[in-house]
Amino acid sequence: MTGFIGQALLYIVPFLLVLTFIVTIHELGHFLVARAFGVKIDRFSVGFGKTIVSWTDRRDTEWRLAWLPLGGYVKFSGDLDASSVPDQAGLAELRQRVIAENGAGAERDYFHFKPIWQRALIVAAGPAANFLLAVVLFTVLFSVVGEQIVAPRVARVAPGTPAAEAGFRSGDLIVAVNGQPVREGAEVTRRVIMSAGDPLRFTVDRAGQTVNLTATPQRRLEQDELAGQVRIARIGLEMSPLPQDFTYRRLNPLEASAKGMDAIGDTVGTTATYIGRIFTGKESGDLLNGPLGIAKAAGGVTRQAVQANPDPAFIAANLALTFLQFAAIVSIGIGIVNLLPIPVLDGGHLLFYAYEAVARRPVPAQVQEVGYRVGLALLAGLMLFATWNDLQKLSLFKFLGGLA
């Protein structure tokens, strides 16, 4: 029982802390831009469910801390439905009610009567806050830890693999992939993972001589310490740098911020490439993670940080830096997901506003209802698919299959 509680604390608590922190920042983005435009806001809640503590500010906004730490939400005055995009009839009804209760002109303080560009900025502010958070966290990381570049030096070539067939040798230094220069091993690994079944052209430095090699990544089943069992593309290289392959420098805040934005661009680009390959049938989606996978990763980074050094001060510092990086990556993911053009997400609202800007009227209620239901189905399907991946990575079905 004690072991179970320990595992629950190791995996669930870090996951909930990171999720609540990131979602709160997301909602704070909506809140701050809405308040800047004078929008009347009923509630800002951190967590869901029963209220632990609450207070009301001078603008009559209730600030609430709830007992279920699964994120949070902002409630604008006058929200009529779950999609928060009422049609013409809904707007007319809301306008009439607001004027009757508060007098003529009061409706101008309500979100739905703000100009389209203001509403769009308020909606986009949530994902923008996630990306901004990631920039801030990466800036702190690169300022404190600095930048260490580890050149992609080949240490061993596994026999019978695409790398062996291509002619790679121990000691080769990879300098370019498909004609694009690479500086570190992580870049090579990322390109390989995103190219299953597609030939890659490698330019290597072999004892001062330039050699061109071609290898096609192939998927294979691996056990990852953080993600569990994953089917991932490899070519069969084990990379290990020589002393001269290490480059380290401490970045000033401006350089660290630029490096953070580069990291976000790389993550967004890689995600877009992977999703595109799923739709073209080149990837199965094995690397998509749901809540279970994220929780397992949160527990994994916690365990690694604790095991790195038993000194309490080192553990605290390592945990802080590790979770800064983990939170930055998860924040980027939440920002990307919220921009998907699904009606229940911020991207869906932006899609509706784009229609309204062109048609000069809101999307009809019937269309919104259908879009909302389809969006829920798509989102539920995506979550089920990601959770299925999580369960397979955790080998749960093999475990259950062995029970009698």
Side-chain angles (χ1 to χ4, degrees):
M1 184 65 181
T2 305
F4 173 78
I5 295 175
Q7 288 295 312
L9 291 175
L10 181 65
Y11 289 96
I12 297 175
V13 172
F15 167 67
L16 292 179
L17 289 175
V18 170
L19 179 66
T20 300
F21 171 63
I22 292 171
V23 174
T24 298
I25 295 298
H26 176 98
E27 296 300 325
L28 195 60
H30 293 310
F31 175 86
L32 291 175
V33 177
R35 177 152 285 188
F37 289 138
V39 173
K40 184 176 174 58
I41 302 169
D42 288 341
R43 182 182 304 125
F44 188 103
S45 178
V46 178
F48 295 90
K50 188 176 180 180
T51 302
I52 299 174
V53 63
S54 67
W55 65 96
T56 302
D57 65 19
R58 59 186 179 83
R59 297 191 184 183
D60 291 327
T61 299
E62 178 194 10
W63 293 80
R64 173 186 296 182
L65 179 64
W67 72 275
L68 190 59
L70 288 174
Y73 64 92
V74 174
K75 184 181 183 299
F76 298 134
S77 298
D79 279 352
L80 297 176
D81 49 40
S83 65
S84 296
V85 187
D87 64 354
Q88 284 183 313
L91 285 172
E93 178 186 345
L94 176 61
R95 186 189 301 271
Q96 185 178 9
R97 177 163 57 84
V98 171
I99 291 176
E101 293 176 356
N102 303 296
E107 74 278 5
R108 290 194 292 268
D109 294 334
Y110 282 66
F111 172 80
H112 301 296
F113 299 110
K114 293 294 181 179
I116 294 176
W117 67 271
Q118 290 187 7
R119 283 180 276 148
L121 285 177
I122 292 169
V123 169
N130 286 129
F131 295 130
L132 180 60
L133 172 63
V135 170
V136 171
L137 295 180
F138 277 132
T139 299
V140 172
L141 279 169
F142 290 127
S143 297
V144 173
V145 179
E147 179 188 33
Q148 178 172 276
I149 298 174
V150 183
R153 177 81 63 179
V154 176
R156 191 179 74 86
V157 182
T161 61
E165 295 175 4
F168 276 96
R169 297 180 187 174
S170 176
D172 285 348
L173 178 65
I174 301 172
V175 296
V177 180
N178 283 348
Q180 297 182 353
V182 293
R183 295 195 304 158
E184 50 188 327
E187 294 180 73
V188 177
T189 301
R190 184 167 58 246
R191 293 297 300 272
V192 169
I193 291 174
M194 291 292 109
S195 304
D198 296 336
L200 291 177
R201 293 177 289 104
F202 294 88
T203 303
V204 304
D205 181 337
R206 180 175 294 168
Q209 302 260 333
T210 300
V211 179
N212 295 310
L213 307 171
T214 301
T216 302
Q218 297 176 350
R219 291 192 192 91
R220 70 183 190 189
L221 194 63
E222 289 187 357
Q223 183 68 33
D224 184 82
E225 186 177 354
L226 296 183
Q229 285 191 341
V230 292
R231 192 171 296 277
I232 195 167
R234 301 292 191 196
I235 60 173
L237 289 180
E238 179 182 323
M239 289 184 284
S240 180
L242 298 175
Q244 66 266 28
D245 296 328
F246 286 93
T247 304
Y248 173 83
R249 68 188 182 105
R250 191 174 297 279
L251 304 180
N252 63 46
L254 189 61
E255 292 174 323
S257 178
K259 184 72 176 176
M261 287 187 282
D262 287 342
I264 292 175
D266 289 341
T267 304
V268 172
T270 300
T271 302
T273 299
Y274 188 70
I275 292 175
R277 288 175 64 84
I278 291 175
F279 281 104
T280 57
K282 294 182 178 181
E283 294 287 350
S284 62
D286 289 350
L287 298 183
L288 289 178
N289 281 330
L292 293 177
I294 298 174
K296 187 177 189 300
V301 296
T302 304
R303 186 174 57 251
Q304 287 181 348
V306 170
Q307 293 175 348
N309 189 313
D311 180 72
F314 183 89
I315 289 176
N318 201 18
L319 271 175
L321 293 175
T322 301
F323 267 95
L324 282 179
Q325 184 177 17
F326 181 69
I329 294 171
V330 174
S331 186
I332 296 171
I334 289 178
I336 293 172
V337 169
N338 270 280
L339 286 176
L340 294 176
I342 298 176
V344 294
L345 300 175
D346 293 332
H349 294 317
L350 293 174
L351 189 64
F352 284 161
Y353 295 150
Y355 171 89
E356 184 178 343
V358 174
R360 305 285 183 173
R361 63 180 184 275
V363 177
Q366 298 87 341
V367 176
Q368 288 192 45
E369 184 178 356
V370 172
Y372 180 66
R373 291 180 178 178
V374 171
L376 272 179
L378 287 173
L379 198 58
L382 179 62
M383 290 300 298
L384 285 172
F385 177 71
T387 303
W388 173 271
N389 277 346
D390 293 341
L391 293 174
Q392 286 186 315
K393 292 170 189 175
L394 296 173
S395 301
L396 179 64
F397 296 115
K398 291 182 180 179
F399 171 74
L400 293 176
L403 296 177

